[in-house]
């Protein structure tokens, strides 16, 4: 456990910035949402990842998507409020169904129930909605947040729905009464600074046994060029009490953008701070107070998501191009304006982690 | 990818490498009869000043410090590489859209004028803020005044008895003489910080009017002693500040608790509070009111930031424009909303936008402005201006003209040196003028 070492094996990229790269269930595909209305796929069966045909007739940003737990089905939501279902293994995936106004504006997160029969979404309209997977029919509408809802999560044992918002309020919903049942206080992730609401819960996950709910974000210091200490807060699912708070860096490291448990039991987190600042770190989940992470990679630029390959070895971390920031015109030799992209770092351990 | 325009084509009306004040212009200015001969620091011709005073026009200048993103406000490019997550929404002007973060503004668009073809030079705050606020004048070895100080000087304090230049802002208040440049400290800004009146504005209850008069006599004596061996502009400034305080003592109601209905309309935010005070100052007759909002330098988390910043601007801005309109005050009040630059189309790794002076937008309305004039344009992904680019010098000319000041022939006299009030190689933007 103390000798984990990872090495970069590839960094597929495309002509647009990307969100939330995830592996398909068979591990042959890597899928990510883009900053311009579609989803991008990379085939991983060859030594070098190959980009396949983009899909999804979306608008704006496709930040929110989730893979069905057993089928080759993907639900994606865009920043204009549209939801779609696709078979992501098709050569040119066509929508199985589409809801143009599933939310009023930015859909931030999608999560499937354990069977995949239904899924939950949330977004800028401050509402959590439950839809039927097979046809996109609305089943429930959950109102109670007072801010943009950033993340929704389903409990692995009983399909309980939890959602977290920009103010750091985490709600466990009573599905029978369509109202909040319990609340978890992650308001430490929020700061009202000048005119700006800063922070909020950026990511959530469950401990493998479902007894602890983890919420990640930052303890904001200021708005505008946001700075703050990335933090992970653990809550007892049974009592809602806080059971730990783990700082993941300095103020320049800013947000804990994603968190997950590795099948081997340790905790993985990625951070994204001031431009160029990004870290991957693995933590001993039994000893979170241990000062040194089990593994730390700090030479990446702005890590925004992570996912573990079904083989338990490879991990995918969405990053950005170092030096992509800067004031004023930045043009290439031909005078073309230079945009940014999101290299997806694929890393494998030095020795297989079975 | 989009092609960068040739630098030499950026500012066809401001394209001289060296900004030179010519002998012809000097003489030409003199023959207009608008240059005063008195040689007093920062004064204009007395006849001109008298004319300006009689017009009683005013300015509400909304300064969005740090750089509002044009793509999340006036010039959205939805569904493009750099367009960001937000939708655009239609406005009251057919075919014109703004960001969905401005729903209230979209309903008063026909009352506004917006130039989407702004292209300026400085991409740092330290250079950009003063240069934009001074109208990017040519270097003549003097420090030009900010727009507020310029208007205070050119148009005078008006009849309100209040200071001509009031700056309503978060943070500290006080007298900010630095804005005045060569005009001298008298034309600086009286800053109202955190919505609070200047401290000790009321006479202590223990001080009788007789004692107060005695104290004033002593003060005046001390002032005379002070001014005997100093340039007049220092004693003028000192007297001015004192007179300002006296005037504010009579207007304590400006700082009374606001009507809760107004708070609800303007927003219970620092900008809502300050915009409401700004409106009261305009109603009270202050010549130039600057309302300041901080925190717009969104190098990180730009989109979540604008999701909370923009609605608060939208609410306060719309409320003040509607109030001035309902009161018939847009006939004589010029309203301007602007930053020091826009924000980069490129989205950096911190999901932020950096500084972008190349292509951004400025909004305005009120006296002298053609309502509904949405001019200027950028290319499809918002990287470059495709219309005639307008530098800040063009806007200074435009705003001076909207206030009834002939910007191309009016000059300051600084210790005998005639100085143009706006970049003489720029000109008013006629499409924006009514």
């Amino acid at each position: 456990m103390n000798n984990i070492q990872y090495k970069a094996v590839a960094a597929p990229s495309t002509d647009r910035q990307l969100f939330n790269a995830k592996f398909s269930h068979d591990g042959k595909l890597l899928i990510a949402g883009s900053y311009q209305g579609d989803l991008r796929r990379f085939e991983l069966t060859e030594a070098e990842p190959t980009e396949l045909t983009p899909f999804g007739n979306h608008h704006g940003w496709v930040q929110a998507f989730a893979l069905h737990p057993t089928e080759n089905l993907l639900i994606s939501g865009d920043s204009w409020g549209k939801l779609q279902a696709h078979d992501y293994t098709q050569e040119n995936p066509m929508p199985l169904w589409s809801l143009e106004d599933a939310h009023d504006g930015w859909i931030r997160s999608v999560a499937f129930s354990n069977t995949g029969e239904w899924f939950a979404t949330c977004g800028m309209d401050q509402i959590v909605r439950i839809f039927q997977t097979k046809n996109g029919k609305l089943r429930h509408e959950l109102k109670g947040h007072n801010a943009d809802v950033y993340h929704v999560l389903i409990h692995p044992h009983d399909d309980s729905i939890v959602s977290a918002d920009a103010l750091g309020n985490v709600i466990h919903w009573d599905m029978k009464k369509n109202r909040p049942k319990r609340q978890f206080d992650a308001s430490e992730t929020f700061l009202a600074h000048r005119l700006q609401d800063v922070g909020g819960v950026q990511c959530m996950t469950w401990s493998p046994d479902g007894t602890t709910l983890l919420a990640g974000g930052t303890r904001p210091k200021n708005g505008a060029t946001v700075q703050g200490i990335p933090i992970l807060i653990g809550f007892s699912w049974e009592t809602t009490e806080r059971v730990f708070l783990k700082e993941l860096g300095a103020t320049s490291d800013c947000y804990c953008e994603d968190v997950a448990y590795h099948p081997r039991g340790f905790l993985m987190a990625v951070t994204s701070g001031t431009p160029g600042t990004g870290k991957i770190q693995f933590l001993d989940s039994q000893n979170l107070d241990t000062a040194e992470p089990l593994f730390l990679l700090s030479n990446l630029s702005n890590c925004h998501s992570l996912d573990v390959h079904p083989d338990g070895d490879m991990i995918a971390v969405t990053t950005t191009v170092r030096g992509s920031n800067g004031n004023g015109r930045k043009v290439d030799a031909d005078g073309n304006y230079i945009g940014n992209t999101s290299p997806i770092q694929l890393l494998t351990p030095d020795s297989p982690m079975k | 990818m989009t092609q960068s325009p040739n630098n030499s084509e950026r500012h066809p009306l401001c394209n001289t490498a060296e900004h030179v004040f010519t002998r012809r212009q000097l003489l030409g200015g003199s023959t207009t009869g608008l240059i005063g001969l008195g040689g007093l620091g920062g004064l204009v011709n007395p006849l001109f000043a008298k004319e300006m005073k009689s017009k009683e026009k005013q300015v509400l200048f909304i300064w969005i410090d740090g750089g509002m993103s044009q793509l999340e406000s006036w010039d959205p490019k939805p569904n493009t590489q750099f367009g960001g997550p937000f939708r655009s929404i239609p406005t009251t002007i057919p075919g014109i859209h703004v960001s969905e973060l401005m729903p209230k503004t979209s309903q008063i668009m026909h009352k506004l004028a917006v130039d989407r073809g702004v292209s300026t030079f400085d991409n740092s705050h330290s250079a950009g803020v003063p240069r934009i606020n001074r109208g990017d004048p040519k270097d003549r070895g003097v420090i030009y005044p900010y727009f507020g100080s310029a208007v205070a000087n050119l148009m005078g304090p008006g009849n309100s008895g209040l200071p001509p230049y009031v700056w309503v802002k978060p943070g500290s208040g006080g007298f900010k003489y630095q804005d005045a440049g060569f005009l001298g400290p008298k034309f600086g800004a009286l800053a109202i910080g955190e919505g609070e009146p200047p401290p000790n504005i009321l006479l202590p209850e223990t001080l009788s009017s007789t004692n107060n008069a005695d104290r004033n006599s002593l003060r005046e004596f001390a002032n005379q002693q002070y001014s005997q061996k100093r340039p007049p502009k220092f004693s003028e400034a000192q007297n001015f500040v004192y007179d300002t305080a006296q005037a504010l003592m009579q207007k304590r109601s400006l700082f009374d608790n606001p009507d809760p209905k107004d708070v609800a309309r303007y927003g219970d935010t620092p900008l809502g509070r300050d915009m409401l005070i700004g409106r009261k100052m305009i109603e009270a007759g202050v010549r130039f009111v600057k309302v300041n909002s901080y925190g717009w330098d969104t190098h990180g988390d730009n989109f979540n930031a604008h999701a909370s910043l923009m609605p608060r601007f939208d609410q306060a801005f719309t409320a003040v424009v509607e109030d001035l309109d309902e009161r018939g005050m847009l006939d004589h009040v010029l309203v301007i909303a602007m930053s020091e630059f826009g924000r980069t189309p490129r989205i950096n790794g911190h999901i932020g936008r950096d500084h972008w002076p190349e292509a951004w937008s400025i909004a305005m309305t009120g006296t002298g402005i053609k309502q509904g004039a949405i001019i200027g344009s950028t290319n499809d992904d918002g990287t470059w201006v495709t219309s005639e680019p307008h530098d800040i010098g063009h806007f200074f000319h435009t705003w001076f003209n909207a206030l009834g000041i002939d910007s191309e022939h009016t000059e300051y006299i600084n210790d005998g040196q005639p100085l143009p009030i706006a970049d003489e190689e720029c000109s008013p933007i006629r499409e924006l003028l009514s």
Side-chain angles (χ1 to χ4, degrees):
Chain A
M1 203 74 166
N2 293 324
N3 295 310
I4 302 171
Q5 291 298 323
Y6 272 77
K7 61 186 177 187
V9 293
S13 186
T14 187
D15 61 345
R16 292 291 182 270
Q17 288 168 273
L18 301 172
F19 292 101
N20 296 334
K22 298 178 195 291
F23 293 103
S24 60
H25 300 310
D26 61 7
K28 293 178 180 175
L29 292 175
L30 185 65
I31 307 168
S34 91
Y35 280 43
Q36 195 180 352
D38 57 16
L39 292 114
R40 303 297 178 99
R41 295 177 298 174
F42 299 91
E43 195 168 50
L44 302 177
T45 52
E46 303 296 329
E48 287 295 318
T50 308
E51 185 168 10
L52 304 179
T53 310
F55 69 99
N57 183 24
H58 276 296
H59 307 292
W61 286 2
V62 187
Q63 180 181 9
F65 71 94
L67 305 183
H68 190 280
T70 56
E71 301 170 11
N72 295 328
L73 180 75
L74 177 148
I75 302 290
S76 51
D78 68 33
S79 62
W80 293 19
K82 183 178 183 178
L83 270 178
Q84 287 183 311
H86 289 89
D87 178 349
Y88 57 82
T89 61
Q90 297 293 306
E91 186 177 350
N92 286 298
M94 300 302 290
L96 302 171
W97 54 256
S98 180
L99 282 179
E100 195 67 39
D101 298 309
H103 280 265
D104 183 6
W106 197 344
I107 298 175
R108 298 282 196 157
S109 176
V110 178
F112 271 104
S113 62
N114 287 290
T115 63
E117 182 190 341
W118 54 267
F119 65 91
T121 61
C122 63
M124 197 173 180
D125 57 6
Q126 307 183 359
I127 299 172
V128 177
R129 290 196 169 96
I130 314 299
F131 297 91
Q132 212 157 288
T133 301
K134 65 179 180 185
N135 56 14
K137 185 179 177 185
L138 181 66
R139 285 170 51 156
H140 291 279
E141 196 169 75
L142 305 173
K143 295 181 179 177
H145 283 286
N146 296 312
D148 194 334
V149 191
Y150 284 173
H151 205 89
V152 64
L153 196 63
I154 311 295
H155 193 278
H157 297 163
D158 62 4
D159 277 342
S160 291
I161 299 174
V162 172
S163 56
D165 67 28
L167 302 177
N169 186 29
V170 184
I171 295 178
H172 171 205
W173 295 93
D174 183 332
M175 292 298 294
K176 289 181 180 172
K177 297 176 181 174
N178 281 1
R179 69 184 187 194
K181 185 176 185 179
R182 302 187 298 162
Q183 303 203 13
F184 300 78
D185 181 10
S187 57
E188 196 167 350
T189 61
F190 170 76
L191 173 72
H193 185 247
R194 292 174 166 160
L195 278 193
Q196 184 182 342
D197 294 339
V198 188
V201 173
Q202 307 295 311
C203 55
M204 290 196 295
T205 195
W206 301 102
S207 61
D209 61 5
T211 61
T212 306
L213 171 66
L214 281 73
T218 187
R219 185 187 296 130
K221 179 186 169 193
N222 57 267
T225 305
V226 180
Q227 292 196 88
I229 292 174
I231 55 172
L232 264 179
I233 306 172
F235 297 100
S236 162
W237 178 237
E238 181 181 359
T239 66
T240 75
E241 295 295 317
R242 179 179 295 193
V243 293
F244 70 82
L245 187 150
K246 178 70 178 173
E247 295 184 355
L248 300 174
T251 50
S252 61
D253 292 314
C254 206
Y255 285 116
C256 173
E257 295 272 5
D258 204 358
V259 60
Y261 278 87
H262 191 278
R264 198 175 165 187
F266 54 82
L267 189 60
M268 306 182 296
V270 292
T271 59
S272 171
T274 49
T277 308
K279 289 178 181 171
I280 307 170
Q281 48 193 306
F282 296 172
L283 307 164
D284 182 348
S285 55
Q286 302 304 313
N287 297 288
L288 280 174
D289 291 333
T290 303
E292 296 297 318
L294 300 171
F295 170 72
L296 174 66
L297 187 61
S298 56
N299 62 353
L300 299 179
S301 187
N302 300 96
C303 304
H304 291 291
S305 73
L306 67 84
D307 197 37
V308 183
H309 192 278
D311 68 7
D313 281 342
M314 182 182 282
I315 61 172
V317 177
T318 312
T319 65
T320 194
V321 174
R322 188 172 294 279
S324 64
N325 62 305
N327 301 327
R329 58 175 60 196
K330 216 171 196 179
V331 295
D332 62 19
D334 298 323
N336 296 309
Y337 185 70
I338 302 171
N340 194 6
T341 58
S342 304
I344 303 169
Q345 302 293 334
L346 295 177
L347 303 119
T348 58
D350 283 346
S351 56
M353 297 177 56
K354 300 299 182 188
Chain B
M1 294 265 191
T2 53
Q3 190 73 25
S4 166
N6 186 318
N7 269 331
S8 65
E9 296 173 355
R10 289 184 62 224
H11 300 289
L13 300 180
C14 277
N15 57 5
T16 305
E18 292 185 14
H19 290 176
V20 178
F21 194 59
T22 66
R23 174 180 168 79
R24 180 189 62 78
Q25 286 165 321
L26 259 173
L27 295 173
S30 297
T31 57
T32 65
L34 290 170
I35 294 181
L37 299 174
L40 292 176
L43 290 181
V44 293
N45 179 285
L47 291 176
F48 170 74
K50 187 177 178 182
E51 181 190 341
M52 282 297 103
K53 284 177 183 173
S54 69
K55 290 188 175 177
E56 299 301 348
K57 292 194 174 187
Q58 297 168 273
V59 180
L60 175 63
F61 185 77
I62 302 160
W63 178 252
I64 306 153
D65 191 88
M68 174 191 279
S69 170
Q70 70 283 1
L71 294 159
E72 278 71 60
S73 57
W74 304 107
D75 193 13
K77 302 290 182 182
N79 224 23
T80 63
Q81 179 179 4
F82 307 119
F86 300 114
R87 297 168 289 186
S88 66
I89 54 174
T91 68
T92 50
I93 301 178
I96 298 295
H97 288 65
V98 293
S99 167
E100 65 172 311
L101 303 177
M102 308 175 79
K104 294 178 184 293
T105 303
S106 73
Q107 296 306 302
I108 61 164
M109 201 66 176
H110 60 287
K111 297 178 183 176
L112 308 178
V114 177
D115 191 338
R116 290 166 159 170
V118 185
S119 187
T120 51
F121 285 93
D122 286 292
N123 62 30
S124 74
H125 300 295
S126 55
V129 171
R131 197 158 162 178
I132 291 289
N133 274 284
R134 295 187 170 112
D136 195 13
K138 295 167 180 48
D139 184 3
R140 292 190 172 85
V142 298
I143 297 174
Y144 259 71
Y146 275 31
F147 190 48
S149 296
V151 170
N153 172 267
L154 292 166
M155 302 185 73
N159 299 322
S160 67
L162 290 168
Y165 179 12
V166 171
W167 179 10
V168 187
K169 63 191 283 292
S172 64
F175 191 75
K176 312 288 186 185
Y177 66 88
Q178 296 89 339
D179 284 14
F182 70 76
L183 294 177
K186 174 181 174 181
F187 296 101
L190 176 72
I192 308 295
E194 295 296 337
E196 295 292 329
N200 306 317
I201 193 170
L202 297 179
L203 285 179
E205 290 180 4
T206 54
L207 186 64
S208 70
S209 56
T210 306
N211 284 345
N212 188 41
D214 289 345
R215 286 162 57 124
N216 275 334
S217 297
L218 181 60
R219 177 183 62 81
E220 286 164 6
F221 173 74
N223 279 353
Q224 287 172 5
Q225 299 285 87
Y226 175 86
S227 61
Q228 280 176 359
K229 295 181 180 178
R230 289 175 174 80
K233 61 183 178 183
F234 291 112
S235 55
E236 281 176 7
Q238 180 146 330
N239 288 331
F240 173 76
V241 172
Y242 192 84
D243 292 344
T244 293
Q246 290 276 44
L248 281 175
M249 284 178 173
Q250 310 304 316
K251 304 272 187 173
R252 182 65 179 80
S253 61
L254 286 170
F255 302 98
D256 287 350
N257 289 331
D259 184 334
K261 290 179 182 174
D262 278 342
V263 174
R265 286 193 312 109
Y266 280 70
D268 191 9
T269 65
L271 181 58
R273 172 199 67 201
D274 290 345
M275 200 77 88
L276 192 47
I277 293 174
R279 190 203 75 193
K280 288 183 179 180
M281 291 286 173
I282 288 287
E283 288 176 316
V286 174
R287 177 71 80 187
F288 189 102
V289 177
K290 177 161 72 171
V291 172
N292 208 131
S293 174
Y294 290 115
W296 293 78
D297 192 20
T298 50
H299 292 280
D301 212 4
N302 172 78
F303 304 93
N304 289 321
H306 275 75
S308 56
L309 290 164
M310 285 306 305
R312 289 160 184 169
F313 168 82
D314 181 52
Q315 183 172 6
F317 176 68
T318 306
V320 79
V321 170
E322 286 180 334
D323 277 359
L324 294 176
D325 190 31
E326 284 175 9
R327 290 159 170 76
M329 295 175 71
L330 288 181
D331 289 345
H332 64 272
V333 178
L334 171 64
V335 181
I336 300 162
M338 65 178 288
S339 296
E340 61 265 46
F341 34 58
R343 306 214 72 85
T344 49
R346 183 184 54 251
I347 299 163
N348 68 33
H350 199 12
I351 320 296
R353 296 192 193 269
D354 302 308
H355 304 168
W356 188 245
E358 318 286 349
W360 52 292
S361 304
I362 294 177
M364 63 203 80
T365 187
T367 185
I369 298 298
K370 184 178 179 182
Q371 294 190 340
I374 313 300
I375 71 162
S377 61
T378 50
N379 58 1
D380 287 346
D381 50 8
T383 50
W384 312 115
V385 171
T386 51
S387 57
E388 178 185 306
H390 290 143
D391 197 355
I392 190 63
H394 295 104
F395 290 95
F396 267 53
H397 277 285
T398 304
W399 298 330
F400 281 135
N401 276 268
L403 293 169
I405 302 169
D406 181 353
S407 61
E408 292 169 291
H409 296 99
T410 306
E411 292 168 318
Y412 301 113
I413 304 298
N414 178 46
D415 289 333
Q417 178 190 18
L419 296 167
I421 62 170
D423 186 339
E424 71 272 26
E425 295 192 12
C426 295
S427 56
I429 305 165
R430 297 292 171 197
E431 307 100 286
L432 291 173
L433 292 169
S434 59

